[in-house]
Amino acid sequence: MLAHSVGIKVGNIFLFSWVIACVIAAVGGVLMGVVTGLHIGLTAMGLKAIPVVLLGGLESIPGCVIAAMIIGLVEGLVGGYIDPLMGGGARDVIPYLIMILVLIVRPQGLFGWKRIERV
C-alpha cells in the first residue's frame, strides 16, 4: 500500500524478483550439472531442496542454510548406520520424514514467520 502511494509499481517489482530468482536457479543448475555431470541422480538432488526450504522456512535464507546442514547431517548418518540394516532406501526418505514431523509441530518451518490473518 505504501509503495503504491509513492509511485512504485509493485507488480513490476514482483516480476523482476521472480525473474532474478529464476536466472540464479538456472545458473546454479547449469553449474551443478557441469561439476557433477549430467545423470538421472541430479533430479533427486533437486527434489531434496523441497524439504530443506520447507524445514527452514520459506522466508528465511539463514533458516534454509541451517536446514540444509541438518538434512545433510541426518541423511549421512542414516545412510551410514540405518541403510545397511534396512537394505537401503532410508537415506532418500528421511528428509521427507523430517519435513513432515517438523511441519506437524511448526507449520511455518523452523525459522519461518508466524502470521495470523483475520478475514
Side-chain angles (χ1 to χ4, degrees):
M1 194 74 164
L2 185 64
H4 281 292
S5 68
V6 293
I8 297 173
K9 294 182 181 179
V10 177
N12 287 346
I13 298 299
F14 282 131
L15 174 74
F16 291 139
S17 63
W18 275 102
V19 167
I20 291 170
C22 290
V23 167
I24 290 172
V27 169
V30 167
L31 290 176
M32 182 65 78
V34 168
V35 170
T36 63
L38 295 175
H39 51 84
I40 196 69
L42 200 57
T43 58
M45 188 176 300
L47 288 176
K48 287 182 186 175
I50 296 169
V52 168
V53 170
L54 290 177
L55 180 68
L58 291 173
E59 303 93 2
S60 174
I61 293 175
C64 289
V65 171
I66 292 170
M69 287 189 241
I70 291 171
I71 292 289
L73 180 68
V74 171
E75 191 176 7
L77 291 172
V78 166
Y81 291 113
I82 296 178
D83 264 354
L85 300 174
M86 294 181 62
R91 180 179 183 187
D92 297 329
V93 175
I94 197 69
Y96 297 99
L97 290 176
I98 293 172
M99 177 189 71
I100 289 171
L101 292 174
V102 168
L103 289 180
I104 287 173
V105 177
R106 283 186 53 99
Q108 67 270 19
L110 292 177
F111 298 96
W113 300 339
K114 186 173 183 176
R115 289 189 213 130
I116 299 174
E117 296 182 17
R118 300 182 193 267
V119 179

